[in-house]
Amino acid sequence: MDDSDSNSAPNTPNSSQHVVVIGTGFFGNSITSYIRRVAPEYTVTQTSRSLTPPPEQCVQGADIVFLAVPSHCYPSVSESINSALQPHTILIDVANRPLRLIPFRFRDQDSSAITLHKLVPQNVHVVKAFNTVSANYLTELNEQDELPGNENLPFAANDQHAIQTMKAFCKDLQFNPLYRGTLEQTAPNMEHAPHRFFPLYKTSFIMAGIIWTWWILYSTLSTYVIHGRRGTPSRPWDKYPLSMFMATTGETSMTLFATVFLAGPVATALKRFGRRFPNYLINWLNRRKQIGLVAFLFASAHGIAGAISSSHIDDGWKGQFYFVLGILSYLMFAVLAVYSSGQSGSKLTWAEFRGVFSWVGTLALMLGVVHQGFWGAILLKHRPNPSYWVANGAIMPISWLGIIFPIFVLVVRGITWLPCFREKNSYKSMPVDTREVEAISV
């Protein structure tokens, strides 16, 4: 090939594109089947050292090459195919770091993409991509009757031609391409991303842990320490584990749910007065789904503990209402959890979205407050009025203290429903999904 050919720009993916997948493992088989099913206009060849023809023959004239082999095999594979690769070939590195290598052990090591970039000719473009897509996921897509939606697919590349080619290739495969930067900048983080443990839920679990710890300490202090000094604890110690678990998981779930529904009114108030959203509010709004699902986890734990320890069922009509309202509130929050996970929420119309995440959510929070209020009323049979404890230097019981914040949130939401707050305002300063913000705050 002459110099003019070697310096020419590669074509964008079309019917003449030839894709080669080197590797016959789980991922190699899955990506091969997926490309053949979703983009039949591509010519796809799968090869390995044990197949005929070998990789060095298959990559001749290939436009895109997948290296679906372990990264420790890159030196031997590159040595065999380097002379056969044509200029401007896209070489896709799909490898991730081994799970046993925790971050501080490979902080100073090159990523597999950078290592591969050093092993191949300079006119071959290495791209880091598809490492965040699992073989199991591709297999599930291959078994579905309908074509998949546009899932985000991050990639990294150094060459502009490679970037444009990958964007077109990803769109042909029904993915939404997200260019993250050069290999040196983003490849190490991309290789570590699949090993992160629920990164979107990290803040939510930390918040839940702090709130749960607070309620455990507060309930232990009010139930066993203060009342224990005045005579006997309000509950016997042999019932501490289950009763404490039931009480504190319920309070934690109510506090988290109230936190979710407070973000909308705050955003509505700032929008009403023409203020831009601060960064903490943007993060708060973007984490509502995760916080809500963690709250639903605590509500489920509370319900299981309540079903095991059903002593309140014997407290007459108050105990009956306590359980009925708790069940109704839990079922409504279950609806929110279902439509907050997966793609269920995206299939709702605007009216359905607003009804589920605004009206059903608010009603569920209200029923939860009344449910907790009946619990406090049941406890009044065995304890003095809460004002007695406050007046005598003690602290308010958990059943009444935990109800204050949710009631405050309901009042604030009611204020934002007033006509002065429901006026249509400009969304030019709203850096988040308009539909989600309005659905929570209306």
Side-chain angles (χ1 to χ4, degrees):
M1 182 177 292
D2 58 23
D3 294 340
S4 61
D5 291 336
S6 63
N7 294 327
S8 60
N11 298 325
T12 57
N14 51 45
S15 59
S16 64
Q17 292 287 295
H18 181 203
V19 178
V20 175
V21 178
I22 301 178
T24 54
F26 192 13
F27 185 85
N29 293 334
S30 300
I31 192 65
T32 301
S33 301
Y34 179 78
I35 298 174
R36 288 172 177 170
R37 176 179 179 269
V38 177
E41 65 272 17
Y42 287 87
T43 301
V44 184
T45 303
Q46 187 177 15
T47 182
S48 71
R49 292 177 297 178
S50 59
L51 295 181
T52 303
E56 54 267 24
Q57 294 184 19
C58 293
V59 300
Q60 294 179 4
D63 302 285
I64 299 175
V65 177
F66 280 86
L67 283 188
V69 297
S71 57
H72 63 81
C73 298
Y74 283 180
S76 60
V77 173
S78 61
E79 183 179 0
S80 64
I81 66 173
N82 278 350
S83 59
L85 292 173
Q86 66 177 359
H88 301 299
T89 298
I90 305 298
L91 199 57
I92 300 179
D93 167 38
V94 302
N96 288 312
R97 296 183 186 274
L99 184 59
R100 66 179 182 274
L101 295 179
I102 54 181
F104 70 85
R105 291 184 60 183
F106 59 71
R107 187 173 299 166
D108 298 328
Q109 299 178 10
D110 286 339
S111 70
S112 60
I114 297 176
T115 301
L116 180 62
H117 180 69
K118 297 176 180 179
L119 294 173
V120 299
Q122 294 184 355
N123 55 8
V124 173
H125 308 308
V126 175
V127 175
K128 186 70 184 183
F130 291 92
N131 66 301
T132 57
V133 181
S134 69
N136 289 321
Y137 177 68
L138 293 175
T139 302
E140 292 177 0
L141 294 180
N142 289 330
E143 296 174 353
Q144 295 178 1
D145 295 332
E146 300 179 358
L147 290 177
N150 288 327
E151 298 287 341
N152 291 333
L153 182 68
F155 72 94
N158 292 345
D159 184 81
Q160 188 63 31
H161 298 318
I163 296 172
Q164 298 303 322
T165 302
M166 279 300 300
K167 287 182 177 180
F169 181 56
C170 292
K171 290 179 180 179
D172 289 341
L173 298 186
Q174 305 296 319
F175 286 103
N176 180 34
L178 297 177
Y179 176 64
R180 294 304 191 189
T182 64
L183 297 177
E184 292 76 13
Q185 292 174 337
T186 59
N189 290 331
M190 288 180 60
E191 292 176 4
H192 182 52
H195 298 322
R196 295 188 181 124
F197 189 74
F198 295 107
L200 295 178
Y201 286 85
K202 181 179 179 180
T203 303
S204 303
F205 278 116
I206 292 176
M207 178 189 301
I210 294 174
I211 295 174
W212 192 20
T213 302
W214 153 255
W215 283 123
I216 290 175
L217 294 176
Y218 186 92
S219 183
T220 302
L221 178 66
S222 64
T223 305
Y224 295 94
V225 177
I226 292 181
H227 292 285
R229 289 179 179 178
R230 299 187 175 192
T232 59
S234 57
R235 290 194 189 97
W237 278 102
D238 61 345
K239 297 184 180 299
Y240 177 85
L242 186 59
S243 62
M244 185 62 58
F245 182 82
M246 175 183 171
T248 55
T249 52
E251 299 297 345
T252 302
S253 66
M254 287 292 294
T255 305
L256 291 173
F257 277 130
T259 303
V260 171
F261 287 103
L262 182 60
V266 173
T268 301
L270 292 178
K271 178 168 65 70
R272 177 65 180 84
F273 295 105
R275 302 290 183 86
R276 294 188 61 86
F277 289 1
N279 290 332
Y280 78 86
L281 181 58
I282 297 175
N283 293 330
W284 187 2
L285 292 168
N286 291 334
R287 292 293 184 272
R288 285 175 298 175
K289 180 179 77 173
Q290 288 77 20
I291 297 174
L293 291 175
V294 173
F296 182 73
L297 178 65
F298 275 89
S300 301
H302 172 71
I304 295 173
I308 296 174
S309 176
S310 56
S311 58
H312 296 321
I313 201 71
D314 298 327
D315 287 289
W317 66 273
K318 293 180 182 178
Q320 299 285 335
F321 272 104
Y322 169 78
F323 274 95
V324 170
L325 293 173
I327 293 172
L328 291 176
S329 177
Y330 179 80
L331 291 177
M332 292 184 179
F333 279 127
V335 173
L336 296 181
V338 169
Y339 283 104
S340 296
S341 58
Q343 299 295 325
S344 301
S346 61
K347 298 180 180 179
L348 296 176
T349 64
W350 159 243
E352 293 169 343
F353 189 92
R354 178 183 179 185
V356 170
F357 288 98
S358 181
W359 298 106
V360 174
T362 302
L363 181 58
L365 186 62
M366 291 177 61
L367 291 177
V369 169
V370 180
H371 162 76
Q372 190 169 334
F374 271 100
W375 178 38
I378 292 172
L379 296 181
L380 286 178
K381 293 175 55 178
H382 313 288
R383 305 179 189 180
N385 189 280
S387 61
Y388 171 85
W389 293 327
V390 176
N392 287 270
I395 59 177
M396 186 176 295
I398 185 176
S399 57
W400 295 102
L401 181 64
I403 211 172
I404 296 176
F405 181 56
I407 291 178
F408 168 76
V409 173
L410 290 172
V411 171
V412 172
R413 287 182 65 81
I415 294 175
T416 59
W417 287 347
L418 296 175
C420 60
F421 277 92
R422 292 177 64 87
E423 296 177 359
K424 301 299 181 183
N425 294 279
S426 172
Y427 288 90
K428 63 182 180 179
S429 63
M430 187 176 297
V432 293
D433 190 339
T434 301
R435 190 178 73 161
E436 291 185 3
V437 173
E438 190 166 277
I440 293 296
S441 58
V442 292

